[in-house]
Amino acid sequence: MFSRINRLRKTAVFRLTLWYSAVLVLSYFAVLGLTYSLFFTSLLRDDRTFIRSKLGHVVARYYEAGLQAAVKEIEDENTSGEPEPYFARLAEADNRTLYLSLPAHWQGFDVGLLAQGPPPASGTWISLTQVNGQDVLETASHVLVDGRLLQVGKSSGDRNHVLGHMLRVFAAVIGPLVLGGFVGGLFLARRHFRPVRHLTRAAKAIVDTGRVDGRVSLPVRRPGSELDELVVLFNRMLERIESVIAGMREALDNVAHDLRTPLTRLRGTAEAALLPGHDLGAAQEALAECLEESDEILTMLTTLMDISEAETGTMTLAREPVDLVPVLADAADLYRFVAEEKAVTLSLPLPPALVVVGDRRRLRQVFANLVDNAVKYTPEGGRVSISASKEDGRAVVVVEDTGPGIPPEETPHIWERLYRGDKSRSRPGLGLGLSLVRAMVQAHGGTVEAASALGAGARFTVVLPTSSAACPADPNITKM
Ligand code: ADP
């Protein structure tokens, strides 16, 4: 129980509730203070209005009917207590008291002090504090025409009684109010922080088990709220991480699988060469085969690393202005011989120049791979065209062939590492060319797309920005 409370005390929910309660109490005191002062001012004004009105009334009576009539009027009102009792004092011009009336329940005021000293001027307010210091007798003075002095006053007792009652009500309310505010605040804060608790639980489960297949199972109650959005994003992030891990696992499996074949061949060749009865020529031939196999393995590993570097953004590109026209012509020259052997026509409708900013060697690698595929997959007598143009300030290169095209079900996979189309397995290749092309083009801030109608050839479109942000690098060019 204690440990639970202790844990709760450390939570953001508790601290938030505490702040909330503190703000509530402060606001309560601010409202209380304001109400009290408004009430006090209003009651004081009422009392003074009453005193002024009584004073005027008695003065009028004095002028109307003389001293006796005025005194009688005071006596009558104070005896009946209607409408309210009040203090009255009549004094000679030298301030000697002639008449004094103090309601019986207003005791403890030293009214003799009023007779001390010279008489005050008309309109002067004098306050006498009760002996016990509780109430104050406030008096207003008026000098009559014959020089006499009339003073009328009222005790602050009634006013203090009302204000005291008000304070007691406030004091009685504050306890339940703070408690209610704290409990309510705790409830609301806990409710509000529910997504955070679920997130913490899910993150803890990932840390403890290392599995990322769990999700925060919390329905979105208020779309657009920050915490609900965080839950949705957290789940999406887990989905991405899961798919990346699955992709990495798959790639690793594929690499292991694809490495096994050349490594087994290499081992078999070496083993066969070691068998007795082989002459030097056969051993040399076996060594040459081993070299070829190891080259293939090395190429595969280098390309995989290049792709990974380009995709993760760690590849540094040696950027410079590059005219794509000679780069494309070089790529075509590289495969012209193979194309001629297959009677495949290579056409290059190129503009005089098309300059982009990029890494010359990487760009050469991109187009070499595309031309290689086009020539490789186009049957005898077919055509391969490499065209380039500038559109909307971007360089657009199209490598098109009249080969078998790409089946629609394979199109989404051709960019995956080590993926090879069903019909392509009989042809040489590692299934890394297009992965490398896409990774490089994207590292240059461009895009590459494949379009193909089955049987009607394939068309690869590379779009490159003609200027882009700088990034250094110079890895080896690898051709699959
Ligand atoms: P590889 O050519 O070594 O198999 P790539 O990554 O270059 O690997 O290409 C992946 C797959 O895409 C190929 O196996 C092939 O099925 C398909 N492909 C690529 N280019 C073409 C093309 N020009 N015509 C038809 N299919 C193609």
mmCIF file of all heavy atoms in Angstrom, residues 356-399:
data_model
loop_
_atom_site.group_PDB
_atom_site.id
_atom_site.type_symbol
_atom_site.label_atom_id
_atom_site.label_comp_id
_atom_site.label_asym_id
_atom_site.label_seq_id
_atom_site.Cartn_x
_atom_site.Cartn_y
_atom_site.Cartn_z
ATOM 1 N N VAL A 356 23.964 17.572 -65.028
ATOM 2 C CA VAL A 356 23.383 17.434 -63.681
ATOM 3 C C VAL A 356 24.530 17.584 -62.680
ATOM 4 O O VAL A 356 25.695 17.568 -63.062
ATOM 5 C CB VAL A 356 22.709 16.052 -63.452
ATOM 6 C CG1 VAL A 356 21.534 15.858 -64.365
ATOM 7 C CG2 VAL A 356 23.713 14.923 -63.580
ATOM 8 N N VAL A 357 24.180 17.721 -61.406
ATOM 9 C CA VAL A 357 25.232 17.752 -60.384
ATOM 10 C C VAL A 357 25.201 16.413 -59.666
ATOM 11 O O VAL A 357 24.187 16.032 -59.093
ATOM 12 C CB VAL A 357 25.016 18.919 -59.389
ATOM 13 C CG1 VAL A 357 26.086 18.905 -58.298
ATOM 14 C CG2 VAL A 357 25.054 20.236 -60.123
ATOM 15 N N GLY A 358 26.301 15.668 -59.752
ATOM 16 C CA GLY A 358 26.297 14.345 -59.123
ATOM 17 C C GLY A 358 27.676 13.718 -59.140
ATOM 18 O O GLY A 358 28.663 14.343 -59.539
ATOM 19 N N ASP A 359 27.699 12.466 -58.713
ATOM 20 C CA ASP A 359 28.945 11.706 -58.673
ATOM 21 C C ASP A 359 29.067 10.954 -60.005
ATOM 22 O O ASP A 359 28.304 10.029 -60.281
ATOM 23 C CB ASP A 359 28.884 10.734 -57.480
ATOM 24 C CG ASP A 359 30.181 9.993 -57.289
ATOM 25 O OD1 ASP A 359 30.791 9.600 -58.305
ATOM 26 O OD2 ASP A 359 30.588 9.818 -56.122
ATOM 27 N N ARG A 360 30.058 11.378 -60.819
ATOM 28 C CA ARG A 360 30.187 10.856 -62.191
ATOM 29 C C ARG A 360 30.253 9.324 -62.206
ATOM 30 O O ARG A 360 29.561 8.672 -62.968
ATOM 31 C CB ARG A 360 31.466 11.442 -62.820
ATOM 32 C CG ARG A 360 31.656 11.079 -64.279
ATOM 33 C CD ARG A 360 32.976 11.646 -64.762
ATOM 34 N NE ARG A 360 33.024 13.097 -64.630
ATOM 35 C CZ ARG A 360 32.502 13.941 -65.517
ATOM 36 N NH1 ARG A 360 31.921 13.478 -66.596
ATOM 37 N NH2 ARG A 360 32.573 15.241 -65.351
ATOM 38 N N ARG A 361 31.074 8.780 -61.284
ATOM 39 C CA ARG A 361 31.268 7.325 -61.322
ATOM 40 C C ARG A 361 29.991 6.575 -60.926
ATOM 41 O O ARG A 361 29.651 5.554 -61.502
ATOM 42 C CB ARG A 361 32.396 6.942 -60.360
ATOM 43 C CG ARG A 361 33.690 7.630 -60.775
ATOM 44 C CD ARG A 361 34.851 6.726 -60.696
ATOM 45 N NE ARG A 361 35.556 6.799 -59.440
ATOM 46 C CZ ARG A 361 36.420 5.877 -59.055
ATOM 47 N NH1 ARG A 361 36.580 4.793 -59.768
ATOM 48 N NH2 ARG A 361 37.088 6.025 -57.937
ATOM 49 N N ARG A 362 29.277 7.121 -59.969
ATOM 50 C CA ARG A 362 28.031 6.486 -59.525
ATOM 51 C C ARG A 362 26.974 6.560 -60.624
ATOM 52 O O ARG A 362 26.221 5.619 -60.838
ATOM 53 C CB ARG A 362 27.501 7.174 -58.251
ATOM 54 C CG ARG A 362 28.383 6.960 -57.036
ATOM 55 C CD ARG A 362 28.469 5.506 -56.727
ATOM 56 N NE ARG A 362 29.238 5.238 -55.525
ATOM 57 C CZ ARG A 362 29.626 4.016 -55.195
ATOM 58 N NH1 ARG A 362 29.341 2.986 -55.962
ATOM 59 N NH2 ARG A 362 30.318 3.827 -54.093
ATOM 60 N N LEU A 363 26.930 7.705 -61.302
ATOM 61 C CA LEU A 363 25.944 7.864 -62.370
ATOM 62 C C LEU A 363 26.265 6.904 -63.525
ATOM 63 O O LEU A 363 25.379 6.299 -64.117
ATOM 64 C CB LEU A 363 25.914 9.321 -62.851
ATOM 65 C CG LEU A 363 25.341 10.313 -61.826
ATOM 66 C CD1 LEU A 363 25.527 11.745 -62.293
ATOM 67 C CD2 LEU A 363 23.861 10.034 -61.593
ATOM 68 N N ARG A 364 27.548 6.736 -63.786
ATOM 69 C CA ARG A 364 27.965 5.804 -64.834
ATOM 70 C C ARG A 364 27.490 4.383 -64.465
ATOM 71 O O ARG A 364 26.996 3.640 -65.300
ATOM 72 C CB ARG A 364 29.497 5.842 -64.939
ATOM 73 C CG ARG A 364 29.974 5.680 -66.383
ATOM 74 C CD ARG A 364 31.458 5.644 -66.428
ATOM 75 N NE ARG A 364 32.063 6.966 -66.386
ATOM 76 C CZ ARG A 364 33.336 7.187 -66.098
ATOM 77 N NH1 ARG A 364 34.121 6.188 -65.770
ATOM 78 N NH2 ARG A 364 33.822 8.387 -66.123
ATOM 79 N N GLN A 365 27.636 4.081 -63.187
ATOM 80 C CA GLN A 365 27.227 2.779 -62.670
ATOM 81 C C GLN A 365 25.702 2.567 -62.859
ATOM 82 O O GLN A 365 25.263 1.488 -63.262
ATOM 83 C CB GLN A 365 27.558 2.763 -61.169
ATOM 84 C CG GLN A 365 27.799 1.404 -60.612
ATOM 85 C CD GLN A 365 28.286 1.523 -59.166
ATOM 86 O OE1 GLN A 365 28.591 2.611 -58.677
ATOM 87 N NE2 GLN A 365 28.339 0.408 -58.489
ATOM 88 N N VAL A 366 24.940 3.628 -62.569
ATOM 89 C CA VAL A 366 23.479 3.554 -62.699
ATOM 90 C C VAL A 366 23.105 3.198 -64.140
ATOM 91 O O VAL A 366 22.362 2.245 -64.395
ATOM 92 C CB VAL A 366 22.844 4.920 -62.306
ATOM 93 C CG1 VAL A 366 21.392 5.005 -62.767
ATOM 94 C CG2 VAL A 366 22.931 5.146 -60.808
ATOM 95 N N PHE A 367 23.642 3.992 -65.101
ATOM 96 C CA PHE A 367 23.204 3.792 -66.488
ATOM 97 C C PHE A 367 23.814 2.525 -67.088
ATOM 98 O O PHE A 367 23.186 1.873 -67.916
ATOM 99 C CB PHE A 367 23.500 5.048 -67.315
ATOM 100 C CG PHE A 367 22.700 6.216 -66.802
ATOM 101 C CD1 PHE A 367 23.315 7.306 -66.191
ATOM 102 C CD2 PHE A 367 21.317 6.180 -66.865
ATOM 103 C CE1 PHE A 367 22.561 8.346 -65.686
ATOM 104 C CE2 PHE A 367 20.559 7.223 -66.359
ATOM 105 C CZ PHE A 367 21.179 8.308 -65.756
ATOM 106 N N ALA A 368 25.014 2.147 -66.620
ATOM 107 C CA ALA A 368 25.606 0.901 -67.094
ATOM 108 C C ALA A 368 24.698 -0.277 -66.719
ATOM 109 O O ALA A 368 24.452 -1.181 -67.531
ATOM 110 C CB ALA A 368 27.000 0.722 -66.501
ATOM 111 N N ASN A 369 24.168 -0.252 -65.508
ATOM 112 C CA ASN A 369 23.289 -1.340 -65.066
ATOM 113 C C ASN A 369 22.000 -1.395 -65.880
ATOM 114 O O ASN A 369 21.532 -2.473 -66.241
ATOM 115 C CB ASN A 369 22.941 -1.179 -63.580
ATOM 116 C CG ASN A 369 24.000 -1.821 -62.695
ATOM 117 O OD1 ASN A 369 24.174 -3.031 -62.703
ATOM 118 N ND2 ASN A 369 24.720 -0.999 -61.959
ATOM 119 N N LEU A 370 21.431 -0.228 -66.162
ATOM 120 C CA LEU A 370 20.170 -0.205 -66.917
ATOM 121 C C LEU A 370 20.390 -0.691 -68.359
ATOM 122 O O LEU A 370 19.592 -1.456 -68.897
ATOM 123 C CB LEU A 370 19.565 1.203 -66.903
ATOM 124 C CG LEU A 370 19.023 1.663 -65.547
ATOM 125 C CD1 LEU A 370 18.521 3.093 -65.626
ATOM 126 C CD2 LEU A 370 17.883 0.744 -65.084
ATOM 127 N N VAL A 371 21.527 -0.225 -68.982
ATOM 128 C CA VAL A 371 21.809 -0.637 -70.364
ATOM 129 C C VAL A 371 22.149 -2.132 -70.395
ATOM 130 O O VAL A 371 21.699 -2.865 -71.283
ATOM 131 C CB VAL A 371 22.948 0.223 -70.974
ATOM 132 C CG1 VAL A 371 23.275 -0.250 -72.386
ATOM 133 C CG2 VAL A 371 22.567 1.693 -70.979
ATOM 134 N N ASP A 372 22.878 -2.564 -69.385
ATOM 135 C CA ASP A 372 23.225 -3.992 -69.285
ATOM 136 C C ASP A 372 21.952 -4.847 -69.285
ATOM 137 O O ASP A 372 21.820 -5.802 -70.057
ATOM 138 C CB ASP A 372 24.018 -4.220 -67.991
ATOM 139 C CG ASP A 372 24.360 -5.696 -67.782
ATOM 140 O OD1 ASP A 372 24.467 -6.427 -68.782
ATOM 141 O OD2 ASP A 372 24.520 -6.112 -66.615
ATOM 142 N N ASN A 373 20.991 -4.476 -68.407
ATOM 143 C CA ASN A 373 19.732 -5.234 -68.343
ATOM 144 C C ASN A 373 19.002 -5.207 -69.680
ATOM 145 O O ASN A 373 18.516 -6.227 -70.149
ATOM 146 C CB ASN A 373 18.807 -4.636 -67.268
ATOM 147 C CG ASN A 373 19.168 -5.136 -65.877
ATOM 148 O OD1 ASN A 373 19.971 -6.054 -65.749
ATOM 149 N ND2 ASN A 373 18.590 -4.537 -64.867
ATOM 150 N N ALA A 374 18.930 -4.009 -70.262
ATOM 151 C CA ALA A 374 18.178 -3.861 -71.521
ATOM 152 C C ALA A 374 18.771 -4.775 -72.595
ATOM 153 O O ALA A 374 18.047 -5.494 -73.291
ATOM 154 C CB ALA A 374 18.199 -2.405 -71.964
ATOM 155 N N VAL A 375 20.103 -4.750 -72.734
ATOM 156 C CA VAL A 375 20.760 -5.586 -73.761
ATOM 157 C C VAL A 375 20.606 -7.067 -73.410
ATOM 158 O O VAL A 375 20.305 -7.907 -74.262
ATOM 159 C CB VAL A 375 22.254 -5.190 -73.901
ATOM 160 C CG1 VAL A 375 22.991 -6.154 -74.819
ATOM 161 C CG2 VAL A 375 22.378 -3.758 -74.420
ATOM 162 N N LYS A 376 20.771 -7.347 -72.100
ATOM 163 C CA LYS A 376 20.735 -8.742 -71.640
ATOM 164 C C LYS A 376 19.363 -9.384 -71.876
ATOM 165 O O LYS A 376 19.268 -10.528 -72.309
ATOM 166 C CB LYS A 376 21.079 -8.759 -70.137
ATOM 167 C CG LYS A 376 21.195 -10.139 -69.523
ATOM 168 C CD LYS A 376 21.872 -10.090 -68.170
ATOM 169 C CE LYS A 376 21.021 -9.432 -67.113
ATOM 170 N NZ LYS A 376 21.662 -9.392 -65.798
ATOM 171 N N TYR A 377 18.299 -8.632 -71.587
ATOM 172 C CA TYR A 377 16.964 -9.227 -71.664
ATOM 173 C C TYR A 377 16.308 -9.076 -73.039
ATOM 174 O O TYR A 377 15.230 -9.587 -73.264
ATOM 175 C CB TYR A 377 16.060 -8.651 -70.569
ATOM 176 C CG TYR A 377 16.529 -9.050 -69.178
ATOM 177 C CD1 TYR A 377 17.037 -8.113 -68.288
ATOM 178 C CD2 TYR A 377 16.505 -10.386 -68.795
ATOM 179 C CE1 TYR A 377 17.495 -8.492 -67.029
ATOM 180 C CE2 TYR A 377 16.961 -10.777 -67.543
ATOM 181 C CZ TYR A 377 17.458 -9.824 -66.670
ATOM 182 O OH TYR A 377 17.913 -10.217 -65.452
ATOM 183 N N THR A 378 16.950 -8.317 -73.941
ATOM 184 C CA THR A 378 16.342 -8.158 -75.273
ATOM 185 C C THR A 378 16.808 -9.298 -76.192
ATOM 186 O O THR A 378 18.013 -9.524 -76.327
ATOM 187 C CB THR A 378 16.737 -6.787 -75.876
ATOM 188 O OG1 THR A 378 16.314 -5.782 -74.963
ATOM 189 C CG2 THR A 378 16.069 -6.542 -77.219
ATOM 190 N N PRO A 379 15.873 -9.995 -76.780
ATOM 191 C CA PRO A 379 16.280 -11.113 -77.658
ATOM 192 C C PRO A 379 16.878 -10.613 -78.974
ATOM 193 O O PRO A 379 16.778 -9.426 -79.291
ATOM 194 C CB PRO A 379 14.968 -11.860 -77.886
ATOM 195 C CG PRO A 379 13.891 -10.871 -77.620
ATOM 196 C CD PRO A 379 14.431 -9.843 -76.691
ATOM 197 N N GLU A 380 17.440 -11.548 -79.729
ATOM 198 C CA GLU A 380 18.109 -11.202 -81.002
ATOM 199 C C GLU A 380 17.208 -10.389 -81.915
ATOM 200 O O GLU A 380 15.997 -10.641 -81.988
ATOM 201 C CB GLU A 380 18.527 -12.484 -81.720
ATOM 202 C CG GLU A 380 19.856 -12.982 -81.187
ATOM 203 C CD GLU A 380 20.388 -14.177 -81.964
ATOM 204 O OE1 GLU A 380 20.032 -14.321 -83.143
ATOM 205 O OE2 GLU A 380 21.153 -14.939 -81.361
ATOM 206 N N GLY A 381 17.816 -9.433 -82.571
ATOM 207 C CA GLY A 381 17.069 -8.615 -83.536
ATOM 208 C C GLY A 381 16.275 -7.490 -82.887
ATOM 209 O O GLY A 381 15.600 -6.730 -83.584
ATOM 210 N N GLY A 382 16.343 -7.379 -81.564
ATOM 211 C CA GLY A 382 15.556 -6.346 -80.863
ATOM 212 C C GLY A 382 16.236 -4.976 -80.898
ATOM 213 O O GLY A 382 17.273 -4.792 -81.544
ATOM 214 N N ARG A 383 15.634 -4.027 -80.162
ATOM 215 C CA ARG A 383 16.186 -2.663 -80.154
ATOM 216 C C ARG A 383 16.282 -2.154 -78.717
ATOM 217 O O ARG A 383 15.414 -2.438 -77.880
ATOM 218 C CB ARG A 383 15.272 -1.711 -80.941
ATOM 219 C CG ARG A 383 15.390 -1.847 -82.443
ATOM 220 C CD ARG A 383 14.595 -0.751 -83.148
ATOM 221 N NE ARG A 383 13.296 -0.501 -82.560
ATOM 222 C CZ ARG A 383 12.218 -1.228 -82.797
ATOM 223 N NH1 ARG A 383 12.288 -2.274 -83.609
ATOM 224 N NH2 ARG A 383 11.076 -0.933 -82.241
ATOM 225 N N VAL A 384 17.328 -1.386 -78.469
ATOM 226 C CA VAL A 384 17.477 -0.721 -77.166
ATOM 227 C C VAL A 384 17.685 0.760 -77.450
ATOM 228 O O VAL A 384 18.509 1.111 -78.291
ATOM 229 C CB VAL A 384 18.670 -1.286 -76.364
ATOM 230 C CG1 VAL A 384 18.961 -0.415 -75.145
ATOM 231 C CG2 VAL A 384 18.401 -2.713 -75.918
ATOM 232 N N SER A 385 16.905 1.583 -76.784
ATOM 233 C CA SER A 385 17.062 3.022 -77.024
ATOM 234 C C SER A 385 17.398 3.729 -75.715
ATOM 235 O O SER A 385 16.813 3.448 -74.661
ATOM 236 C CB SER A 385 15.759 3.540 -77.632
ATOM 237 O OG SER A 385 15.468 4.811 -77.149
ATOM 238 N N ILE A 386 18.363 4.639 -75.788
ATOM 239 C CA ILE A 386 18.740 5.434 -74.605
ATOM 240 C C ILE A 386 18.500 6.892 -74.970
ATOM 241 O O ILE A 386 19.210 7.436 -75.820
ATOM 242 C CB ILE A 386 20.230 5.223 -74.234
ATOM 243 C CG1 ILE A 386 20.541 3.726 -74.086
ATOM 244 C CG2 ILE A 386 20.589 5.964 -72.954
ATOM 245 C CD1 ILE A 386 22.006 3.406 -74.201
ATOM 246 N N SER A 387 17.485 7.491 -74.382
ATOM 247 C CA SER A 387 17.191 8.891 -74.723
ATOM 248 C C SER A 387 17.287 9.759 -73.483
ATOM 249 O O SER A 387 17.172 9.265 -72.344
ATOM 250 C CB SER A 387 15.794 9.003 -75.338
ATOM 251 O OG SER A 387 14.848 8.488 -74.439
ATOM 252 N N ALA A 388 17.506 11.047 -73.693
ATOM 253 C CA ALA A 388 17.619 11.965 -72.554
ATOM 254 C C ALA A 388 17.052 13.318 -72.946
ATOM 255 O O ALA A 388 17.113 13.719 -74.108
ATOM 256 C CB ALA A 388 19.087 12.111 -72.153
ATOM 257 N N SER A 389 16.471 13.986 -71.972
ATOM 258 C CA SER A 389 15.928 15.329 -72.240
ATOM 259 C C SER A 389 15.858 16.103 -70.929
ATOM 260 O O SER A 389 16.008 15.524 -69.847
ATOM 261 C CB SER A 389 14.520 15.221 -72.841
ATOM 262 O OG SER A 389 13.692 14.513 -71.937
ATOM 263 N N LYS A 390 15.589 17.396 -71.063
ATOM 264 C CA LYS A 390 15.437 18.215 -69.862
ATOM 265 C C LYS A 390 13.967 18.615 -69.757
ATOM 266 O O LYS A 390 13.402 19.179 -70.695
ATOM 267 C CB LYS A 390 16.336 19.453 -69.972
ATOM 268 C CG LYS A 390 16.456 20.186 -68.663
ATOM 269 C CD LYS A 390 17.546 21.229 -68.749
ATOM 270 C CE LYS A 390 17.619 22.003 -67.449
ATOM 271 N NZ LYS A 390 18.659 22.995 -67.453
ATOM 272 N N GLU A 391 13.348 18.257 -68.624
ATOM 273 C CA GLU A 391 11.925 18.592 -68.441
ATOM 274 C C GLU A 391 11.727 19.254 -67.087
ATOM 275 O O GLU A 391 12.135 18.692 -66.058
ATOM 276 C CB GLU A 391 11.074 17.309 -68.501
ATOM 277 C CG GLU A 391 10.907 16.776 -69.910
ATOM 278 C CD GLU A 391 10.245 15.404 -69.937
ATOM 279 O OE1 GLU A 391 9.472 15.082 -69.018
ATOM 280 O OE2 GLU A 391 10.538 14.646 -70.891
ATOM 281 N N ASP A 392 11.085 20.394 -67.085
ATOM 282 C CA ASP A 392 10.818 21.140 -65.838
ATOM 283 C C ASP A 392 12.076 21.315 -64.988
ATOM 284 O O ASP A 392 12.044 21.127 -63.760
ATOM 285 C CB ASP A 392 9.753 20.431 -64.986
ATOM 286 C CG ASP A 392 8.439 20.318 -65.722
ATOM 287 O OD1 ASP A 392 8.180 21.179 -66.568
ATOM 288 O OD2 ASP A 392 7.696 19.350 -65.450
ATOM 289 N N GLY A 393 13.191 21.586 -65.639
ATOM 290 C CA GLY A 393 14.439 21.819 -64.905
ATOM 291 C C GLY A 393 15.065 20.542 -64.363
ATOM 292 O O GLY A 393 15.973 20.591 -63.538
ATOM 293 N N ARG A 394 14.549 19.374 -64.816
ATOM 294 C CA ARG A 394 15.152 18.119 -64.362
ATOM 295 C C ARG A 394 15.607 17.299 -65.561
ATOM 296 O O ARG A 394 15.024 17.414 -66.647
ATOM 297 C CB ARG A 394 14.131 17.301 -63.551
ATOM 298 C CG ARG A 394 13.807 17.965 -62.220
ATOM 299 C CD ARG A 394 12.674 17.276 -61.525
ATOM 300 N NE ARG A 394 11.528 17.127 -62.388
ATOM 301 C CZ ARG A 394 10.481 16.349 -62.103
ATOM 302 N NH1 ARG A 394 10.467 15.665 -60.986
ATOM 303 N NH2 ARG A 394 9.462 16.262 -62.922
ATOM 304 N N ALA A 395 16.639 16.467 -65.328
ATOM 305 C CA ALA A 395 17.129 15.627 -66.416
ATOM 306 C C ALA A 395 16.340 14.323 -66.410
ATOM 307 O O ALA A 395 16.208 13.686 -65.368
ATOM 308 C CB ALA A 395 18.613 15.341 -66.217
ATOM 309 N N VAL A 396 15.802 13.949 -67.573
ATOM 310 C CA VAL A 396 15.025 12.707 -67.669
ATOM 311 C C VAL A 396 15.722 11.784 -68.664
ATOM 312 O O VAL A 396 15.920 12.142 -69.826
ATOM 313 C CB VAL A 396 13.576 13.001 -68.138
ATOM 314 C CG1 VAL A 396 12.767 11.709 -68.219
ATOM 315 C CG2 VAL A 396 12.901 13.995 -67.193
ATOM 316 N N VAL A 397 16.132 10.606 -68.168
ATOM 317 C CA VAL A 397 16.812 9.628 -69.033
ATOM 318 C C VAL A 397 15.911 8.406 -69.123
ATOM 319 O O VAL A 397 15.444 7.888 -68.110
ATOM 320 C CB VAL A 397 18.192 9.229 -68.450
ATOM 321 C CG1 VAL A 397 18.854 8.181 -69.325
ATOM 322 C CG2 VAL A 397 19.090 10.447 -68.307
ATOM 323 N N VAL A 398 15.663 7.949 -70.363
ATOM 324 C CA VAL A 398 14.804 6.775 -70.559
ATOM 325 C C VAL A 398 15.610 5.685 -71.252
ATOM 326 O O VAL A 398 16.203 5.908 -72.305
ATOM 327 C CB VAL A 398 13.549 7.141 -71.392
ATOM 328 C CG1 VAL A 398 12.688 5.904 -71.620
ATOM 329 C CG2 VAL A 398 12.749 8.229 -70.691
ATOM 330 N N VAL A 399 15.657 4.497 -70.621
ATOM 331 C CA VAL A 399 16.320 3.338 -71.234
ATOM 332 C C VAL A 399 15.196 2.357 -71.572
ATOM 333 O O VAL A 399 14.511 1.852 -70.681
ATOM 334 C CB VAL A 399 17.360 2.706 -70.281
ATOM 335 C CG1 VAL A 399 18.010 1.484 -70.929
ATOM 336 C CG2 VAL A 399 18.421 3.725 -69.888
#
